[in-house]
Amino acid sequence: MKQGIFITFEGPDGSGKTTHAKLLAQWLEKQGFSVVLTREPGGTPFAESIRKLLLKPGENVFPATELLLYAASRAQHTQELIKPALAKGKFVLSDRYSDSTVAYQHFGRSLDINIINELNKIATGGLKPDLTVVIDIKTNRGMDRVSRNRAKDRLENENSLFHGRIRKGFLALSRKEPGRIKVITSGGSIQGTQEKILKITREFLKRKKLS
Ligand code: TMP
């Protein structure tokens, strides 16, 4: 059986990527593909336990601890869920993956990029997304959206300077790998943003000779 396709959604908090990952999963299923929709941190029972530790508000978590826990969650998720699904020829859509560690723990927390790249290599076993959609949003808008929707988690509670660095980080990553990482500006309606994502996906499927 042919190897599946791995698509990731990335972006600052409040960008709407969770909604759009779900919408794309539904659209791909309608096209007849078998889809696994998952997320990071988390995605398997053990990795979801790590997610709870990471996001609990009020904890004093050191940057190195945080980095290692995100990597641990990714290692489990990749081995237990993502790789087996890809081996069965499925489409795997993940709401965040290794680019988030570069954006948050390097650009956000200023941890050494070489260490992050090495840890990402260990955690992913060298797996890279085939396509990454970054949903970009202005920092204040993203933060307003998060506050409106629900109680903030530990990372969302960080200040706007931190979130501004994350946004810059995703944009820098997209300039480094323009073939894989496509940036979409979140602004108008959900439908408008979804149309932009479908356009990118259709082009991608054509390139892969899947449509
Ligand atoms: P989510 O709310 O988008 O599911 O993501 C949880 C939070 O974890 C979000 O604030 C981004 C952060 N995060 C990191 O800091 N590093 C990572 O490697 C990942 C995957 C997420």
Side-chain angles (χ1 to χ4, degrees), residues 38-211:
T38 185
R39 69 172 179 182
E40 284 209 357
T44 73
F46 190 78
E48 287 288 331
S49 308
I50 300 175
R51 178 187 178 93
K52 281 200 193 102
L53 289 174
L54 275 165
L55 300 185
K56 193 167 167 229
E59 297 285 346
N60 178 22
V61 183
F62 290 94
T65 315
E66 184 179 280
L67 170 65
L68 291 166
L69 286 175
Y70 278 111
S73 163
R74 179 158 310 125
Q76 186 71 25
H77 184 214
T78 303
Q79 295 295 332
E80 189 179 340
L81 189 134
I82 302 176
K83 284 192 173 172
L86 291 173
K88 287 185 192 141
K90 298 191 185 215
F91 265 72
V92 177
L93 257 64
S94 187
D95 180 350
R96 297 198 185 279
Y97 197 60
S98 44
D99 296 314
S100 274
T101 313
V102 178
Y104 282 79
Q105 278 66 51
H106 172 58
F107 285 91
R109 302 277 192 226
S110 304
L111 292 174
D112 185 334
I113 187 64
N114 296 314
I115 292 173
I116 289 177
N117 287 340
E118 276 308 308
L119 272 177
N120 265 339
K121 252 192 239 163
I122 295 169
T124 63
L127 178 70
K128 272 215 152 195
D130 297 292
L131 172 68
T132 295
V133 177
V134 167
I135 305 191
D136 182 43
I137 188 158
K138 286 201 176 118
T139 303
N140 289 341
R141 231 179 132 218
M143 291 180 79
D144 282 353
R145 270 209 204 161
V146 168
S147 322
R148 242 183 289 135
N149 290 344
R150 54 183 162 73
K152 287 187 188 171
D153 66 34
R154 189 176 59 82
L155 277 282
E156 288 162 351
N157 268 324
E158 291 285 344
N159 64 27
S160 63
L161 285 175
F162 175 78
H163 287 285
R165 291 198 298 275
I166 308 302
R167 179 179 182 217
K168 276 199 188 139
F170 281 121
L171 296 176
L173 274 169
S174 73
R175 284 192 295 274
K176 242 177 112 188
E177 287 188 69
R180 171 176 70 89
I181 307 179
K182 308 292 178 193
V183 180
I184 279 173
T185 309
S186 163
S189 62
I190 290 184
Q191 209 189 345
T193 304
Q194 197 205 359
E195 269 311 312
K196 293 184 205 163
I197 294 171
L198 289 186
K199 186 167 178 276
I200 286 170
T201 309
R202 284 197 195 94
E203 284 165 8
F204 169 79
L205 293 176
K206 239 189 217 162
R207 255 188 286 133
K208 290 272 171 188
K209 303 199 178 358
L210 288 167
S211 73

